[in-house]
Amino acid sequence: MKITKNRRWIIEFFLFTMFLAIIFMGAATIFQSIPANEDSSPAQLAIQSNGCPYNIVWERRWNNSACDSGNGLSTDLSGNVWCVGATGNTLALSDQLLLKYSASGTLLVNKTYGGGGWDEAWDIKMDRHGNMYMCGFRSKAVGVTNATIFELFPNGTIKRIIMWGWGGVAHGMALAFDDYDNIYLVGKTDNFSVGETDIFVAKFDFDGNLLWNTTWGTTDYDYGNGIVVDSNNNTYVVGTFGFGTGTNATLTKLDADGNIAWMRILGEKYKKDQGSAIDIDGNAIYITGFGETWGDVDDQNLFLAKYDLAGNQDWLKTWAGAGGSYDRGMSVEVTPNHNLLVTGYTNATGAGKEDMLLLKFNSTGTLLWEDTFGSAGDEWGLDTFSVSDDVFYTLGFTEVYGTYETWLMKFSPENNTPWATLIYPQNDPANFNYNDPANLTFVLYDDTSGGIYRVTSNGTFNQGWTAWTTSNNSQEVVHIPTTTSGTWLYIIEYNDTANNAGIPLTITIVVGESPSNGGIPGFGWVIALLSLSIFLTVDILKKSELKQF
């Protein structure tokens, strides 16, 4: 067939647009964006000192700034884990943070709330109907904050807001509910205060109407940190009183109308002590905190105390690390079997400067086991939640990469098996789609003697059973090259030396696909350009044929 001059330039035009489309597709693949909150280097984290008789099923870290922290957690009726905290460049410039994970560690919700000032979230609870509430505080102006309660939809959207405060400072620190759907909020405020700040408790009905509020304190700085409600709608508050150069832990009971029934002070005069958290188990009240009363000036030790509902102390136990150290209890949780989980931090032992501390006691105050977890940086445990006596979560922050990140871990019963976690990409679950032409990195853990692993895939990279290069609390770092474009399925299997098999990681990597829109970056533009090319080519051909007639 003879090609006319018109047809030749039409064909050349079509080929040229095809060439541009191919170039554009390649450029879009090369210049793809990497999502925020991902770290590219492997971490040395979650080192167990063999006291905790449970495995770390998974751990999740989240970061968006230089200073992120997880402060409170709870689960919902579906077993999802809700975490609240703060994210910001400084403690004075932060937003309230909400993270929601599935029980398997998949990040479901990631939301922040704030307006450019100092905003933090400190507690999250589920009421008896399955509704989720979080509390904290939000800035209104310089030096002015309101205590806040958010009721949340399952996707993290705010359903309604309850606010408390009349100018000045009002910080909400913890929540509780009674059997009549009333909501209780505790914190600190300088509204109506006799000192710098006082402890406050506010009671709201289900519709958010204020029923009563009570404040009390010294002429110094006072803080309310935790609250529980008994079956008669009496409330119990743990906090801290300021006395000049010293502070003491305090436990206070309010009756159903908000009147103070009794008060207990823990600690010696001029010492620095603090009451951090509280939980209730029938007729027993448990509080934890720390202070110099149970150590010395350079040795603040953790305490755990049990009281009855009349304010009588049943027992008080302390925990002290080796040498002069800071050992601080930040959360206490009653498990379904009436044991006690206490989390906090210590600089006495562990991997870094300050490590997360985890202790378990029985109801008589006997220490069942103790453990620390951390990296070379600082790690704090700020809350714990028990699903069963043997399955629980801890939340706090880690400094593994030099900045503070939220740190959530799930524990399950010890079964002498190793476990694994993804390090790069960070914050993603074990099953995910992700676009990254770099290496996939994961870390294998084992309490005792290392083991072996293998990698199988639907691509060219397959690795047979390979021995770990380290042992004894080993963290075997494994890299998998994923530079070839396509969809790749990897299965990582691993056993310890006793042939105990860990739960395999099944990972899908889609190289060349944008994580933000689920497709290749610029792919829509490529299709549009090709479509335009074909349309113009056909149109020109038709016009050319008409001219020949």
Side-chain angles (χ1 to χ4, degrees), residues 416 418 452 465 494-502:
N416 296 320
I452 56 177
W465 287 108
Y494 49 98
N495 299 345
D496 62 18
T497 53
N499 208 32
N500 295 306

Coordinates of all heavy atoms in Angstrom, one line a residue, residues 416 418 452 465 494-502:
N416 N 6.6 -19.8 73.2 CA 7.9 -20.2 72.8 C 8.1 -20.1 71.3 O 8.9 -20.8 70.6 CB 8.2 -21.6 73.2 CG 8.3 -21.8 74.7 OD1 8.8 -20.9 75.4 ND2 7.7 -22.9 75.2
P418 N 9.0 -17.4 67.9 CA 9.5 -16.1 67.6 C 8.4 -15.2 67.0 O 7.3 -15.7 66.7 CB 10.6 -16.4 66.5 CG 10.1 -17.7 65.9 CD 9.4 -18.4 67.0
I452 N 15.9 -19.8 62.0 CA 16.0 -19.8 60.5 C 14.8 -19.1 59.9 O 13.8 -19.0 60.5 CB 16.2 -21.2 60.0 CG1 15.0 -22.1 60.4 CG2 17.5 -21.8 60.5 CD1 15.0 -23.5 59.8
W465 N 15.8 -21.6 53.2 CA 16.0 -21.5 54.7 C 17.4 -21.0 55.0 O 18.4 -21.6 54.5 CB 15.8 -22.9 55.4 CG 14.3 -23.2 55.4 CD1 13.7 -24.2 54.6 CD2 13.3 -22.7 56.2 NE1 12.4 -24.3 54.9 CE2 12.1 -23.3 55.9 CE3 13.3 -21.7 57.2 CZ2 10.9 -23.0 56.5 CZ3 12.1 -21.4 57.8 CH2 10.9 -22.0 57.5
Y494 N 9.5 -18.3 59.4 CA 10.6 -18.3 60.3 C 10.4 -19.2 61.5 O 9.3 -19.3 62.0 CB 10.9 -16.8 60.8 CG 9.7 -16.1 61.3 CD1 9.5 -16.0 62.7 CD2 8.9 -15.5 60.4 CE1 8.3 -15.4 63.1 CE2 7.7 -14.8 60.9 CZ 7.5 -14.8 62.2 OH 6.4 -14.1 62.7
N495 N 11.4 -19.9 61.9 CA 11.4 -20.8 63.1 C 12.5 -20.5 64.0 O 13.5 -19.9 63.6 CB 11.5 -22.3 62.6 CG 10.4 -22.7 61.7 OD1 9.3 -22.0 61.6 ND2 10.6 -23.8 61.0
D496 N 12.4 -20.8 65.3 CA 13.5 -20.8 66.1 C 14.3 -22.1 66.1 O 13.9 -23.0 65.3 CB 13.1 -20.4 67.6 CG 12.2 -21.5 68.2 OD1 12.1 -22.6 67.7 OD2 11.5 -21.1 69.2
T497 N 15.3 -22.2 66.9 CA 16.2 -23.4 66.8 C 15.5 -24.7 67.3 O 15.9 -25.8 67.0 CB 17.5 -23.2 67.6 OG1 17.1 -22.8 68.9 CG2 18.3 -22.1 66.9
A498 N 14.4 -24.5 68.1 CA 13.6 -25.6 68.5 C 12.5 -26.0 67.5 O 11.6 -26.8 67.9 CB 13.0 -25.3 69.9
N499 N 12.6 -25.3 66.4 CA 11.6 -25.6 65.3 C 10.2 -25.1 65.6 O 9.2 -25.6 65.1 CB 11.5 -27.0 64.9 CG 11.1 -27.2 63.4 OD1 11.4 -26.4 62.6 ND2 10.4 -28.3 63.1
N500 N 10.1 -24.1 66.6 CA 8.8 -23.4 66.8 C 8.6 -22.4 65.7 O 9.4 -21.5 65.5 CB 8.8 -22.8 68.2 CG 8.9 -23.8 69.3 OD1 8.2 -24.7 69.4 ND2 9.9 -23.6 70.2
A501 N 7.4 -22.5 65.1 CA 7.2 -21.6 63.9 C 6.5 -20.3 64.4 O 5.5 -20.4 65.2 CB 6.3 -22.3 62.9
G502 N 6.9 -19.2 63.9 CA 6.2 -17.9 64.1 C 5.1 -17.8 63.1 O 5.0 -18.5 62.1

